[in-house]
């Protein structure tokens, strides 16, 4: 049973190191095609690009969540300077997360608007 302790420690440290990996912000897709003039193939290609972006953005948000989860929970053991840095780092992560969610909603919203126009034109 004692043999598991070092192995568990190595796993925990490896996980913590991974959690502090740099999260890569995804590239936003090009503007969606105009729903009034786009072909079906153009809309399908755009959908695939926006699906890729949505998946990459969700991975980015998951990465930020891992970083937030890896932050120290018990700030009472930190010096005032360390606590200030931890608070600031947490605020930055929350700001990045919120900005990413806002952009994701805006970018996908623009595609959905054009898709709605395209579908209305098809009727």
């Amino acid at each position: 049973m004692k043999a598991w302790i070092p192995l568990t420690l190595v796993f925990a440290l490896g996980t913590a190191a991974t959690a502090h990996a740099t999260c890569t912000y995804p590239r936003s897709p090009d503007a969606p095609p105009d729903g009034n003039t786009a072909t079906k193939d153009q809309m399908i290609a755009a959908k695939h690009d926006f699906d890729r972006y949505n998946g990459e953005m969700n991975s980015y948000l998951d990465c930020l969540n891992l970083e937030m989860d890896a932050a120290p929970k018990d700030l009472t053991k930190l010096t005032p300077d360390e606590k200030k840095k931890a608070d600031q780092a947490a605020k930055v992560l929350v700001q990045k997360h919120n900005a990413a969610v806002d952009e994701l909603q805006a970018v996908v919203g623009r595609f959905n608007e054009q898709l709605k126009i395209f579908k209305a034109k098809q009727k």
Side-chain angles (χ1 to χ4, degrees):
M1 185 69 172
K2 290 182 181 179
W4 287 100
I5 294 172
L7 184 59
T8 305
L9 240 163
V10 169
F11 177 75
L13 292 174
T15 304
T18 303
H20 288 291
T22 303
C23 301
T24 305
Y25 199 85
R27 179 188 62 82
S28 181
D30 294 331
D34 182 346
N36 288 311
T37 59
T39 65
K40 181 178 181 180
D41 289 340
Q42 288 173 320
M43 292 305 288
I44 290 171
K47 180 189 181 312
H48 291 302
D49 200 23
F50 281 83
D51 286 345
R52 172 208 49 86
Y53 171 71
N54 188 46
E56 289 176 1
M57 185 61 86
N58 284 324
S59 294
Y60 173 76
L61 293 170
D62 289 344
C63 180
L64 290 179
N65 287 334
L66 283 175
E67 285 192 12
M68 285 187 251
D69 290 344
K73 303 295 182 240
D74 187 6
L75 300 180
T76 60
K77 296 178 182 178
L78 300 178
T79 66
D81 189 44
E82 290 172 331
K83 184 178 180 201
K84 184 178 179 182
K85 286 180 183 179
D87 286 340
Q88 184 62 30
K91 285 179 186 177
V92 168
L93 286 173
V94 169
Q95 289 171 341
K96 284 181 177 184
H97 186 278
N98 291 344
V101 169
D102 290 345
E103 181 178 327
L104 176 61
Q105 290 174 342
V107 167
V108 173
R110 286 191 292 272
F111 173 74
N112 287 337
E113 288 172 12
Q114 295 306 315
L115 183 59
K116 187 184 233 183
I117 292 168
F118 177 81
K119 285 182 176 182
K121 184 183 84 168
Q122 302 304 310
K123 291 182 180 183

